[in-house]
Amino acid sequence: MTRKQRRLTLIGCALVVLAIAAGLVLNALRDSIVFFSTPTMVAEKHIGPGKRFRLGGLVEQGSLKRGDNLAVTFTVGDGGATLPVAYKGILPDLFREGQGVVAEGALDASGVFRADTVLAKHDETYMPKEVADTLKKQGHWKDDYGKPQAAKPGPVSMREGEKTAAGATQ
């Protein structure tokens, strides 16, 4: 076997080992990746009673009802369909009507989603109350926190002799 043939054989074996390793890693991750289904997806997939999954959507306005012993019922919607949810336990602080939520559980025979875990989703502008209060006390708070920022013009070119967006010459 020539030197070139040995090198190609070694490279081929390395690629095969790498492909097997990648396949094993992806197979192991497949079970740990958990997505959520929206109420529309639940209706389309015809998920049967007893099958565990995550339900995500917005808590419908006016649907939150509190019962005895921390029992709560509410409706989750996605703009196309809604699904009633029953939960018994303490809700997260960020949970409220009109807010995003992800609940983990299963459908019962009557079509109600029985959640055993409820997670409240927040947007990317979330700031803990303590941090916001501290910023207000220090005078660093701006009323536009949490609002989308308009793009500010910056330099167009940094080459010598050309003008920037502000009109100054470099």
Side-chain angles (χ1 to χ4, degrees):
M1 190 180 279
T2 66
R3 184 183 243 172
K4 188 175 183 178
Q5 289 174 332
R6 279 190 302 226
R7 193 175 345 172
L8 288 175
T9 303
L10 183 63
I11 291 172
C13 290
L15 288 175
V16 168
V17 168
L18 186 62
I20 290 172
L24 289 173
V25 167
L26 290 175
N27 188 36
L29 288 177
R30 182 184 62 196
D31 294 333
S32 65
I33 296 174
V34 180
F35 298 105
F36 65 83
S37 299
T38 63
T40 301
M41 293 167 66
V42 172
E44 289 172 355
K45 292 180 184 177
H46 302 291
I47 297 175
K51 183 172 189 241
R52 291 189 56 80
F53 64 96
R54 281 188 175 179
L55 174 68
L58 294 176
V59 179
E60 296 286 317
Q61 294 289 341
S63 69
L64 181 62
K65 308 237 183 324
R66 298 185 186 271
D68 296 333
N69 298 327
L70 301 176
V72 178
T73 60
F74 54 94
T75 304
V76 173
D78 62 357
T82 60
L83 191 64
V85 178
Y87 175 69
K88 187 172 184 176
I90 298 173
L91 291 170
D93 290 339
L94 295 174
F95 183 89
R96 63 182 176 274
E97 292 176 344
Q99 183 72 25
V101 67
V102 176
E104 189 170 346
L107 286 172
D108 66 6
S110 63
V112 175
F113 185 78
R114 299 282 174 189
D116 50 41
T117 304
V118 173
L119 305 170
K121 293 169 45 177
H122 60 80
D123 61 7
E124 68 278 355
T125 60
Y126 170 75
M127 184 178 299
K129 184 179 182 331
E130 295 82 17
V131 174
D133 291 342
T134 304
L135 286 172
K136 286 178 184 177
K137 286 178 187 174
Q138 293 175 351
H140 296 292
W141 181 259
K142 297 178 185 172
D143 287 333
D144 60 350
Y145 278 140
K147 296 178 184 173
Q149 298 292 326
K152 295 180 182 175
V156 175
S157 174
M158 298 304 285
R159 285 186 254 158
E160 190 174 333
E162 291 188 11
K163 294 186 177 187
T164 62
T169 305
Q170 295 289 329

